[in-house]
């Protein structure tokens, strides 16, 4: 199964190389180390890290079922619940993948993920750039297609756990782009731009800037900076 996924991703990369440049796509995975269905989705996100800008957001509602996920936060549970209201899902579940804030599906569904990546890459978006400066990072947004909020997510490039209880008891789990915080930087109006200096992320971390329409709507642009 993993071999087939790798082949599929390589095929997508080959197609991308022969087509006009596509817009960056943000992929969010809501996951938990307490969920036995989540490791395949975690592995899929690691593969998608080569094709898109990815964020692994560990929810906390599995924590009372035997294993407290050390990367979990109630803030990510709330973000998932906000998506649920926006995308009209039955309720929060894991693993859930959200592509560009516009569509959601089972986080281990590789075929659906590749289809949604292809579609999302064709949407017109703001130009988002992150550059290194002597003082830190400079965030620039230009040509926003809608009025939106600019967010900064800080995420560990990778992380691992030896799970000692719960549904994944005895397994060593690996994750990529493990989100530690998401905060608002400011707002941008339709057709205008945004500029702000931010501090460097910590060692082995990445900074992801994304532009999201109000009420946790579609993502209108994203960029990532890694050390």
């Amino acid at each position: 199964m993993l071999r087939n996924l790798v082949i599929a991703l390589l095929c997508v990369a080959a197609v991308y190389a022969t087509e006009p440049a596509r817009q960056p796509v943000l992929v969010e995975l809501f996951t938990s180390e307490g969920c036995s269905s989540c490791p395949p989705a975690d592995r899929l996100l690691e593969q998608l890290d080569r094709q898109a800008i990815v964020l692994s957001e560990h929810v906390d509602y599995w924590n009372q079922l035997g294993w407290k996920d050390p990367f979990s936060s109630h803030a990510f549970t709330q973000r998932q619940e906000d998506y649920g209201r926006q995308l009209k899902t039955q309720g929060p579940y894991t693993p859930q993948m959200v592509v560009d804030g516009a569509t959601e599906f089972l986080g281990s569904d590789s075929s659906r993920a590749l289809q949604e990546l292809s579609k999302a890459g064709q949407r017109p978006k703001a130009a988002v750039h992150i550059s290194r400066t002597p003082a830190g990072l400079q965030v620039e947004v230009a040509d926003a297609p809608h009025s939106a909020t600019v967010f900064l997510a800080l995420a560990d490039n990778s992380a691992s756990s030896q799970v000692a209880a719960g549904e994944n008891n005895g397994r060593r789990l690996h994750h990529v782009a493990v989100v530690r915080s998401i905060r608002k930087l400011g707002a941008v109006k339709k057709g205008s731009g945004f500029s702000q200096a931010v501090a460097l992320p910590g060692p082995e971390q990445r900074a992801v800037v994304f532009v999201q329409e109000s009420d946790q709507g579609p993502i209108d642009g994203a960029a990532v900076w890694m050390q």
Side-chain angles (χ1 to χ4, degrees):
M1 181 178 177
L2 180 59
R3 179 175 178 273
N4 291 337
L5 172 60
V6 172
I7 292 172
L9 288 167
L10 290 174
C11 289
V12 170
V15 171
Y16 278 20
T18 59
E19 291 184 355
R22 292 175 180 253
Q23 297 289 342
V25 176
L26 181 68
V27 177
E28 297 174 78
L29 177 66
F30 294 94
T31 185
S32 172
E33 289 191 341
C35 163
S36 61
S37 300
C38 287
D42 297 328
R43 291 192 293 270
L44 173 59
L45 193 74
E46 187 171 4
Q47 296 295 327
L48 295 178
D49 196 18
R50 306 170 188 175
Q51 305 294 335
I53 299 171
V54 304
L55 293 175
S56 178
E57 299 170 44
H58 290 234
V59 298
D60 68 348
Y61 49 83
W62 280 89
N63 286 355
Q64 69 273 23
L65 300 177
W67 176 251
K68 185 175 181 180
D69 187 333
F71 309 111
S72 64
S73 169
H74 190 62
F76 306 142
T77 298
Q78 291 178 318
R79 182 167 175 80
Q80 186 185 33
E81 290 173 347
D82 289 342
Y83 270 135
R85 287 187 285 270
Q86 180 71 17
L87 301 175
K88 297 179 172 58
T89 61
Q90 292 292 326
Y93 68 93
T94 55
Q96 182 187 36
M97 194 167 281
V98 178
V99 174
D100 262 356
T103 186
E104 65 83 27
F105 49 91
L106 182 65
S108 55
D109 188 339
S110 59
S111 297
R112 180 73 183 278
L114 295 177
Q115 292 171 5
E116 297 300 339
L117 276 177
S118 180
K119 289 193 295 185
Q122 300 175 37
R123 291 179 53 237
K125 296 178 181 176
V128 183
H129 299 285
I130 308 173
S131 57
R132 181 74 167 89
T133 69
L137 298 176
Q138 186 69 31
V139 174
E140 303 284 348
V141 178
D143 303 321
H146 304 93
S147 294
T149 303
V150 182
F151 289 91
L152 170 67
L154 297 180
D156 294 346
N157 289 330
S158 64
S160 297
S161 279
Q162 183 66 44
V163 180
E167 292 189 359
N168 289 311
N169 185 22
R171 302 181 67 176
R172 184 162 187 83
L173 302 181
H174 180 72
H175 316 286
V176 296
V178 180
V179 181
R180 293 304 198 171
S181 65
I182 300 177
R183 66 181 179 92
K184 295 180 181 180
L185 292 182
V188 61
K189 294 183 178 180
K190 180 180 179 180
S192 66
F194 173 91
S195 179
Q196 187 170 314
V198 299
L200 280 175
E204 304 300 322
Q205 280 194 326
R206 65 184 69 183
V208 174
V209 173
F210 58 94
V211 180
Q212 187 163 30
E213 294 176 35
S214 62
D215 299 322
Q216 209 158 311
I219 303 295
D220 285 340
V224 59
W225 185 91
M226 299 174 61
Q227 297 196 54

